[in-house]
Amino acid sequence: MAKILVAEDEDVLRMLVVDTLEDEGHDLDEAADGEEAITSIMENDYDLILLDFMMPIYTGLEVIEKVRAIPEKKDVKIMMVSAKSQQADQERVLAGGADYFIAKPYSPMDLVKRIEDILNEKN
């Protein structure tokens, strides 16, 4: 299926997302903070990055800024996940370089559906 990075600082939530997506057959990597996310992105090619907004070391927006500055990584699909779900927050995230936005809390099945839609539009 797809290679996906799950960058989320909340261990339980990260584990839930990883388990759910692995059950769907995807190849998953994990990052617990923005620095780990950047390191993983530099070392791997992902079909999708699922990126939490509020993380230690680098926020999701800072990670996006760094990724979009790397020519060979600038086109990777990024879905920002955030409890900040006001319209202004969503617009800020999308203007900052995210391709998609999903608000917390979300159901695992909604997440799977959104990811499948994203991966299918890429092909």
Side-chain angles (χ1 to χ4, degrees):
M1 296 288 280
K3 178 120 174 120
I4 300 172
L5 174 64
V6 177
E8 167 64 60
D9 63 317
E10 293 181 40
D11 294 340
V12 173
L13 186 53
R14 188 176 63 251
M15 188 171 42
L16 173 66
V17 171
V18 167
D19 288 348
T20 300
L21 295 177
E22 281 180 342
D23 288 348
E24 295 295 316
H26 297 294
D27 181 13
L28 280 289
D29 287 340
E30 302 176 44
D33 61 50
E35 187 172 52
E36 284 182 17
I38 291 167
T39 299
S40 290
I41 293 164
M42 296 300 294
E43 295 174 354
N44 299 281
D45 290 323
Y46 293 104
D47 296 299
L48 177 67
I49 298 168
L50 198 61
L51 189 60
D52 184 28
F53 186 92
M54 297 301 296
M55 289 188 298
I57 304 177
Y58 297 113
T59 67
L61 282 177
E62 290 170 323
V63 172
I64 291 172
E65 182 180 318
K66 292 177 184 306
V67 170
R68 296 296 188 221
I70 304 165
E72 61 273 12
K73 304 287 182 177
K74 70 178 176 61
D75 292 329
V76 66
K77 296 292 183 195
I78 299 174
M79 178 188 286
M80 183 74 80
V81 180
S82 179
K84 294 176 163 267
S85 59
Q86 299 295 324
Q87 185 67 30
D89 296 319
Q90 292 182 37
E91 290 171 3
R92 180 174 166 221
V93 163
L94 296 172
D99 299 294
Y100 310 93
F101 180 92
I102 190 167
K104 291 180 183 178
Y106 52 83
S107 81
M109 290 300 98
D110 285 344
L111 180 65
V112 167
K113 171 83 171 87
R114 291 280 308 271
I115 288 173
E116 294 307 321
D117 289 348
I118 291 166
L119 295 174
N120 287 333
E121 81 181 28
K122 188 177 179 184
N123 297 327

